[in-house]
Amino acid sequence: MSRVSALLGFALAVAIIVSLLLGSVPLPLGRVISALAFGGTVGDQLVVWDIRLPRSLAAAIVGAALGMSGAALQGLLRNPLAEPGILGVSATAALCASVTLYFELAASGPFVLPIAAVMGALLATIIVAAAALRSQSVVSLILIGVGLSSFAGALMALLMNLSPNPFSLADLVNWTLGTVANRSFQDLAFAAPLAFTGMAILWATRRGLSALTLGEEAAAGIGVDLKKQRIAVILGAGVATGASVALAGAIGFVGIIAPHLVRPFVRYDASRLLLPSALLGAVLLVLADIGVRVIPTDTELKLGVVAALIGAPVFIWIASRRRLA
């Protein structure tokens, strides 16, 4: 593990510990440690084990999946704007989840909505992977992804427009804003294996991504199978993103800014970018979730909103530095 990854891993551990301390009712460190050891009061154990810990772990897993997916897609497409949403995976997953809310299917079982989100992500992944098999151009993949994302967004807007009642509309809006509130270890048990499977696939492509920094012709010249590389990255990003959408809904900007912030510290080496991007994405989303809990508002802010409020200025700052450079 590199020094950057070690520091980010330490930062993630600190962020998760802080997230256990803070909330509507702050808990001292001693009470949190006691609750983690199944000591202290029943109320403290309930807050730590049933509310704050699964929520923090969900934010970390979602951030890691989006951060690594963004890094891999930016390396594959050689586009600094690439992120899981650019291939339409996030939007399609959110659309399928929204369909279960619109037709009130989500209430029929705890896993109906997350399964729908993953199926949507896999559907988009299959479409883009099929395009990758037929096309040699990464620009075509980006255009197909943008079109897929726009179409899914339009269908989601249609569902909201035709929403039969205010409660259904509120559920749809809340889902599109993203949140990890009220997540349980049962939710993590469903989504985490998928997220880690997607990230494992992406990790296996790191050497090919490093070769692609030299250009596609040069990468092919040193033995990289470009078609397999594309499909592996798209499949890994699709599975990881689908799991993140199933767990938290639509979360933007993490997949873009995490790789950009890390890249100078790994000497712009794509093969060394994946793990630090995942760790930084996890740190950012855990911090954003802490912000959701401690910012005093009458209605709790949504994680996707806070992530965008943090991510958009950072992205503008990164873009301005690139231009000045």
Side-chain angles (χ1 to χ4, degrees):
M1 179 182 289
S2 68
R3 181 179 300 178
V4 175
S5 297
L7 289 174
L8 289 172
F10 176 74
L12 176 60
V14 172
I16 291 177
I17 292 172
V18 172
S19 74
L20 298 180
L21 303 177
L22 300 178
S24 58
V25 179
L27 291 176
L29 180 60
R31 287 172 60 182
V32 169
I33 294 175
S34 179
L36 286 173
F38 299 100
T41 67
V42 176
D44 287 351
Q45 292 183 29
L46 179 68
V47 169
V48 171
W49 278 104
D50 291 351
I51 299 176
R52 295 186 183 176
L53 185 57
R55 179 172 180 158
S56 299
L57 293 177
I61 290 171
V62 171
L66 295 176
M68 183 177 282
S69 297
L73 290 172
Q74 288 176 17
L76 174 71
L77 303 175
R78 286 174 293 152
N79 186 323
L81 296 177
E83 55 113 12
I86 200 172
L87 294 180
V89 176
S90 298
T92 309
L95 170 64
C96 290
S98 298
V99 168
T100 66
L101 293 172
Y102 180 85
F103 291 104
E104 299 181 352
L105 300 174
S108 59
F111 293 122
V112 172
L113 190 147
I115 288 174
V118 172
M119 295 301 292
L122 292 177
L123 174 63
T125 301
I126 290 171
I127 293 173
V128 179
L133 286 172
R134 297 171 61 88
S135 174
Q136 298 296 320
S137 171
V138 294
V139 176
S140 297
L141 294 181
I142 295 174
L143 294 175
I144 290 170
V146 170
L148 195 60
S149 181
S150 299
F151 185 63
L155 290 177
M156 286 184 64
L158 179 64
L159 290 179
M160 293 181 187
N161 189 215
L162 299 177
S163 182
N165 56 64
F167 301 106
S168 178
L169 178 60
D171 287 341
L172 290 171
V173 172
N174 287 333
W175 177 255
T176 58
L177 295 179
T179 182
V180 289
N182 302 319
R183 296 301 180 266
S184 64
F185 282 110
Q186 188 180 29
D187 297 320
L188 291 175
F190 172 81
L194 289 172
F196 287 118
T197 298
M199 287 191 281
I201 295 172
L202 294 176
W203 180 255
T205 67
R206 64 190 186 283
R207 298 192 185 283
L209 291 173
S210 182
L212 279 172
T213 59
L214 304 173
E216 289 192 348
E217 292 185 1
I222 59 176
V224 175
D225 188 325
L226 297 178
K227 190 169 290 185
K228 288 183 178 178
Q229 181 73 16
R230 288 177 187 169
I231 292 174
V233 172
I234 292 170
L235 178 63
V239 173
T241 304
S244 72
V245 174
L247 200 53
I251 305 289
F253 281 103
V254 175
I256 292 182
I257 64 173
H260 280 290
L261 291 174
V262 167
R263 193 168 281 116
F265 298 99
V266 297
R267 299 180 182 179
Y268 300 89
D269 185 346
S271 65
R272 299 169 58 194
L273 184 62
L274 297 182
L275 181 58
S277 297
L279 291 170
L280 182 58
V283 172
L284 291 174
L285 218 52
V286 172
L287 293 179
D289 186 54
I290 292 174
V292 166
R293 284 185 270 170
V294 301
I295 294 175
T297 55
D298 293 334
T299 302
E300 184 176 282
L301 297 175
K302 296 300 179 185
L303 183 59
V305 175
V306 176
L309 289 173
I310 297 173
V314 173
F315 181 71
I316 294 171
W317 174 71
I318 293 170
S320 63
R321 280 174 56 90
R322 287 174 60 89
R323 184 176 179 81
L324 290 173

